[in-house]
Amino acid sequence: MCGITGYIGEGESASILSTGLKNLEYRGYDSAGIALVGDQVDVHKQEGTIDGLTIPRDVDATHGIGHTRWSTHGEPTDENAHPHTDCRGDVAVVHNGIISNYTELKEELAGHIFESETDTEVIPHLIENEIARGADLRAAVTRVLDHLEGSFAIAATHVDHDGIVAARQDSPLVIGHGDDGMYLGSDVTAFVEYTRQVSYLEDGDVAHLSEDGITIFNDGKRVEREIQTVDWDASAAGKAGHDHYMHKEIHEQPHALRQAISGRIDELSGKASLDIDLDDEFLESIDNIQIVACGTSYHAGLYAKELIEPLVDVTVRVDLASEYEVYDGYDTQNTLVVAVTQSGETADTLSAIRRAKAPGMTTLAVTNTVGSTITREVDDSLFIKAGPEIGVAATKTFVSQVTALALFATYIGRLRGTLSADEGADILENIRKLPNAVQSVLDAEPQIERLAERYVDSDAFFFIGRGLAQPVALESALKLKEISYAHAEGFAAGELKHGPLALVTENTPVLAFLNESASPDETFNNVKEVESRGAPVICLSSTSEDASFCDHSIDVPNLGRLGPLVSNVAMQLFAYHVANEMERPIDKPRNLAKSVTVE
Ligand code: AGP
């Protein structure tokens, strides 16, 4: 994905746009650029992060657009950086998404001068043609949209036309309504310093931000989009004294969990109360739950399966969203499809939800992002309330996703009578204890940091666990590999002897989850197997007995089914400190972006 910013108003455009780009950098950091529009269109762009971009402060601009790029078509070079312009340099365009028919469009634009390898560059040239035919900027963009195939959010300006025209199709765009002007962003983070009054554009919207305000059209008709107030301020998006967003977000977890839990627990009755509208009768009737998600959210889905199946008499299937298919003969009436997605913008997950909706299945999103695309497409949303997560590596949102899904499992278990009041109360008590349990692991950071320093030069890292701890093993390995680039794998502990054991040497630490709810005795046998091959073993356990058999042991409170989730927090810190020792760009790992809005 990429990040788009825009501003028109009395403020200093260059400074507002560069703040926006800095805030959106987590969406992509291959290149950055802005176009400032006054008497002329001034484009400044280059490969690399926004820090390397020199933006003159003395340009007399009334408005402008900016972009931070995660490359899809064309390498990260100065030429491929956005904004892109037309032949005369009058039109400037930034774009997020993919124009799938750009090759044909480029052929139709024979005679135009192209300077990049991007799909985006066809857009300013198409606008140039429409303006030459007499259209104003809004009409030109509207006509161009008819030619574009794919998913996109775009913002365009023209030297002789007032304001910015923005359009969305399957890619997010948010308008900010400030006292001193109008803001545009791929998400609220772009302008949260300046205003918290926002409206979310919908697919097909074409918005004209001008000195007089905003007008929005959809399918040729004027439409209004509700103005909402976002409930977090600029400080929530800052680093608050931490070296990295990821470190800050790891430490925010007790607070994030309190927000996820607040008002949702009634221990006395053993019931969770969820602010969702799905019909209880429907939830009582379902036979299947299908979870679709990607990456870390997929691991949260795997954890949820282990929570839901024993508590509720439904079958839970978890699919990588990119692999999800609905086959003929599937029981579509008695199935709930749950999309787990932090951003609510992941293209693979959105596409899976659309496939599920086609034959009429009921859909629920478990997401962090109010107003995101997925919330507008599903039947209902369960918000995890983790607050903004900027680090590319998902941390607090994983823990909050699993917690929200644990509440959901308790809710439907009690509703269907498969979970007794006592069992429900037990689970809810553990959920209530989660924030403090997570804090106790955060307090062990110095020990975890020492372990990271000791093993940073290892050949590879293996994480093993069973049951509830297996998704945590997968998640721990993903976290370590994405921010440190070290080779890391998560395995079902029992599978080691069926192949992966061949990889184990004295230079491959094995991190074993011995939580009481995750078959610790059986996993302990696997610890013995790797120890006898010379591998150093780091155990995560709540019993001091285990500690004496492992090379190192990290103490994790026993929290029943949620114990492995607490262990995961220790592994977030381990990954963070390994990556920090290696001096990796932790918040912006190479080749990655926070949410992936292309399939
Ligand atoms: C994990 O650290 C990554 N950020 C990534 O795997 C992420 O979880 C995945 O891309 C899904 O994103 P989503 O939750 O926003 O849908």
Side-chain angles (χ1 to χ4, degrees):
M1 70 179 179
C2 306
I4 289 177
T5 58
Y7 175 71
I8 179 163
E10 289 157 16
E12 203 196 313
S13 298
S15 147
I16 291 168
L17 290 170
S18 63
T19 304
L21 288 186
K22 195 81 205 120
N23 293 351
L24 288 182
E25 208 171 21
Y26 68 90
R27 297 179 67 93
Y29 29 86
D30 291 337
S31 63
I34 64 168
L36 295 166
V37 189
D39 294 338
Q40 57 184 38
V41 178
D42 245 322
V43 173
H44 305 271
K45 58 179 190 173
Q46 69 184 53
E47 179 194 348
T49 63
I50 177 76
D51 290 334
L53 187 67
T54 315
I55 301 173
R57 301 284 148 158
D58 53 356
V59 176
D60 198 13
T62 52
H63 59 285
I65 52 178
H67 189 267
T68 179
R69 178 169 185 246
W70 182 68
S71 317
T72 52
H73 292 72
E75 288 176 20
T77 60
D78 292 354
E79 292 73 30
N80 289 337
H82 299 215
H84 290 286
T85 51
D86 64 328
C87 298
R88 300 159 55 96
D90 290 344
V91 181
V93 168
V94 292
H95 160 229
N96 175 25
I98 286 181
I99 308 300
S100 47
N101 60 334
Y102 81 102
T103 322
E104 298 96 89
L105 292 172
K106 213 165 173 175
E107 279 165 18
E108 288 168 22
L109 287 162
H112 284 253
I113 304 157
F114 284 88
E115 288 174 352
S116 78
E117 305 154 292
T118 65
D119 52 343
T120 307
E121 203 182 354
V122 295
I123 304 172
H125 291 282
L126 289 167
I127 294 174
E128 178 186 5
N129 281 356
E130 295 301 334
I131 300 258
R133 288 181 191 123
D136 62 20
L137 185 58
R138 182 174 67 78
V141 170
T142 308
R143 285 185 208 160
V144 166
L145 294 179
D146 289 339
H147 298 274
L148 304 182
E149 289 170 16
S151 63
F152 47 81
I154 61 173
T157 59
H158 187 284
V159 69
D160 295 329
H161 292 253
D162 175 31
I164 303 166
V165 174
R168 72 156 277 170
Q169 186 62 51
D170 295 334
S171 221
L173 270 183
V174 193
I175 306 291
H177 305 260
D179 292 336
D180 68 345
M182 305 294 305
Y183 299 79
L184 179 71
S186 295
D187 63 47
V188 179
T189 333
F191 49 70
V192 72
E193 277 96 338
Y194 305 106
T195 180
R196 291 196 284 142
Q197 303 296 304
V198 309
S199 22
Y200 298 93
L201 293 187
E202 302 204 353
D203 279 347
D205 281 358
V206 178
H208 185 198
L209 288 72
S210 73
E211 282 167 8
D212 303 327
I214 182 168
T215 46
I216 308 174
F217 290 81
N218 193 308
D219 207 9
K221 292 186 200 72
R222 178 89 188 261
V223 292
E224 300 294 331
R225 299 291 170 224
E226 187 196 348
I227 299 181
Q228 306 173 24
T229 307
V230 290
D231 63 358
W232 47 274
D233 59 24
S235 64
K239 281 192 205 155
H242 294 260
D243 287 342
H244 299 95
Y245 284 110
M246 182 185 179
H247 194 255
K248 174 189 169 228
E249 287 154 7
I250 290 172
H251 280 269
E252 279 174 346
Q253 288 177 110
H255 175 67
L257 284 165
R258 285 187 190 103
Q259 290 185 157
I261 295 165
S262 174
R264 288 173 164 175
I265 288 183
D266 181 357
E267 266 178 65
L268 218 56
S269 64
K271 286 185 179 161
S273 66
L274 296 178
D275 28 354
I276 55 172
D277 298 324
L278 280 184
D279 194 25
D280 280 354
E281 226 173 278
F282 168 72
L283 290 174
E284 278 178 276
S285 72
I286 55 175
D287 298 323
N288 303 293
I289 293 178
Q290 291 184 352
I291 298 177
V292 290
C294 306
T296 292
S297 296
Y298 171 71
H299 298 151
L302 292 176
Y303 201 121
K305 173 183 165 74
E306 299 291 329
L307 286 171
I308 296 170
E309 280 188 332
L311 306 181
V312 188
D313 62 341
V314 293
T315 310
V316 182
R317 197 178 99 183
V318 190
D319 280 22
L320 289 164
S322 54
E323 296 290 325
Y324 180 67
E325 295 292 348
V326 180
Y327 298 105
D328 284 351
Y330 201 85
D331 180 4
T332 52
Q333 292 314 300
N334 297 319
T335 300
L336 172 67
V337 181
V338 180
V340 184
T341 167
Q342 183 283 130
S343 61
E345 301 293 350
T346 301
D348 288 329
T349 309
L350 286 165
S351 162
I353 278 296
R354 287 168 194 150
R355 282 197 287 278
K357 278 174 65 180
M361 285 198 267
T362 304
T363 53
L364 172 76
V366 177
T367 183
N368 196 29
T369 315
V370 177
S372 56
T373 303
I374 202 138
T375 61
R376 288 196 295 271
E377 301 217 1
V378 288
D379 295 299
D380 204 356
S381 299
L382 172 60
F383 292 102
I384 64 169
K385 304 182 182 178
E389 187 177 71
I390 308 292
V392 164
T395 51
K396 63 176 178 173
T397 53
F398 173 73
V399 172
S400 298
Q401 282 168 341
V402 174
T403 303
L405 286 159
L407 288 165
F408 181 67
T410 315
Y411 180 78
I412 47 176
R414 291 289 287 124
L415 189 68
R416 294 160 69 98
T418 53
L419 187 66
S420 72
D422 286 350
E423 286 171 314
D426 264 6
I427 296 166
L428 293 176
E429 190 191 348
N430 284 333
I431 293 177
R432 189 179 50 74
K433 287 180 178 168
L434 251 178
N436 287 346
V438 165
Q439 187 57 56
S440 76
V441 167
L442 296 176
D443 293 342
E445 183 167 11
Q447 181 206 1
I448 298 168
E449 185 175 357
R450 282 195 297 279
L451 288 170
E453 282 163 10
R454 176 161 178 168
Y455 290 110
V456 62
D457 293 325
S458 302
D459 293 341
F461 299 82
F462 302 123
F463 297 83
I464 59 170
R466 288 168 185 258
L468 290 156
Q470 196 210 331
V472 170
L474 298 178
E475 172 56 14
S476 303
L478 174 64
K479 214 79 324 175
L480 183 57
K481 72 180 97 168
E482 76 177 321
I483 61 166
S484 73
Y485 320 149
H487 177 210
E489 302 278 351
F491 299 116
E495 275 294 294
L496 268 188
K497 58 187 177 292
H498 298 292
L501 198 54
L503 296 169
V504 170
T505 71
E506 62 285 353
N507 205 24
T508 60
V510 175
L511 296 102
F513 298 97
L514 300 174
N515 300 92
E516 294 193 4
S517 54
S519 309
D521 295 341
E522 289 80 354
T523 304
F524 204 73
N525 294 335
N526 309 119
V527 165
K528 292 278 170 212
E529 287 162 13
V530 297
E531 270 185 338
S532 63
R533 271 87 186 169
V537 179
I538 301 171
C539 295
L540 293 105
S541 163
S542 38
T543 53
S544 51
E545 229 173 78
D546 295 336
S548 54
F549 293 97
C550 307
D551 295 284
H552 314 275
S553 184
I554 300 169
D555 198 23
V556 179
N558 178 15
L559 218 60
R561 290 181 164 89
L562 297 164
L565 188 62
V566 184
S567 297
N568 175 68
V569 174
M571 294 299 89
Q572 294 169 352
L573 284 171
F574 183 74
Y576 173 83
H577 284 292
V578 169
N580 206 25
E581 277 294 306
M582 295 167 116
E583 298 184 357
R584 299 296 193 216
I586 291 178
D587 287 329
K588 291 178 259 176
R590 70 182 175 207
N591 306 335
L592 300 181
K594 181 69 182 161
S595 77
V596 184
T597 52
V598 289
E599 281 183 67

